[in-house]
Amino acid sequence: MLRYIFSTAKDLTENEVEQIITTLETTNMKGSEFVMTLADKWRQEGMEKGREEGKAEGMRLGLVKSITRICMKKFGELPKEMRDELNQLDVSSLEAILENIFEMERLEDVKKFIR
C-alpha cells in the first residue's frame, strides 16, 4: 500500500518521505490507520494551499477593481480590451500601476504598465 502511495504522490519532497518513514518506524498504528492519518494530513495541506491561493486571488481582484475605479474617475470609461488586460495581470504588475497612477496623466500612461 505504501508503495502505491509513494508511486502516485510523485511531488513528495525528500523531507516529506523521510517524515513518513520516521512516522512509520515510531508508530504502532495499523497500516490502515496510518494511511488515513496521512490522507488527512495531505487533505489539510491541500485546504491550506487552497486558502492561500484564494487570498492571493482576492487581493489581485481587489487591486483590479481599485485601479479600474480610479482610472474611470481620472480618464473616463475604460475600453473593454484594457479591462480584460488588467484582469490578466499579476499582483506585482497591478501594485506597480496603483503606486504610479496618481502621476499618470493619460490612459496611455497606464497602458505602458500593461504591456
Side-chain angles (χ1 to χ4, degrees):
M1 185 178 284
L2 290 174
R3 182 176 294 172
Y4 171 77
I5 291 171
F6 289 130
S7 68
T8 58
K10 298 198 184 295
D11 58 339
L12 286 175
T13 65
E14 284 185 44
N15 188 32
E16 289 170 326
V17 172
E18 288 177 36
Q19 287 176 343
I20 291 168
I21 292 169
T22 301
T23 302
L24 282 172
E25 292 172 344
T26 60
T27 303
N28 292 326
M29 290 182 176
K30 294 182 181 176
S32 63
E33 291 172 345
F34 174 74
V35 171
M36 286 306 296
T37 303
L38 186 58
D40 290 339
K41 179 183 178 213
W42 286 340
R43 189 177 300 115
Q44 181 65 32
E45 288 173 358
M47 288 172 33
E48 289 172 8
K49 183 178 178 185
R51 277 192 289 270
E52 289 173 13
E53 290 172 356
K55 282 181 186 178
E57 181 62 11
M59 180 179 171
R60 194 187 69 74
L61 292 174
L63 288 168
V64 169
K65 187 175 182 178
S66 296
I67 291 168
T68 301
R69 283 183 168 177
I70 293 169
C71 284
M72 288 176 69
K73 282 206 169 243
K74 276 187 86 161
F75 309 118
E77 189 63 32
L78 299 182
K80 181 181 178 344
E81 178 183 298
M82 186 172 183
R83 289 192 312 260
D84 292 343
E85 289 172 333
L86 284 172
N87 277 310
Q88 299 301 315
L89 293 178
D90 61 17
V91 170
S92 61
S93 298
L94 293 166
E95 286 174 336
I97 292 171
L98 195 57
E99 288 174 12
N100 292 285
I101 200 157
F102 294 107
E103 287 82 34
M104 297 177 190
E105 297 177 5
R106 302 170 298 136
L107 198 54
E108 288 73 27
D109 296 333
V110 178
K111 290 179 182 178
K112 292 176 185 175
F113 282 85
I114 294 174
R115 297 187 173 108

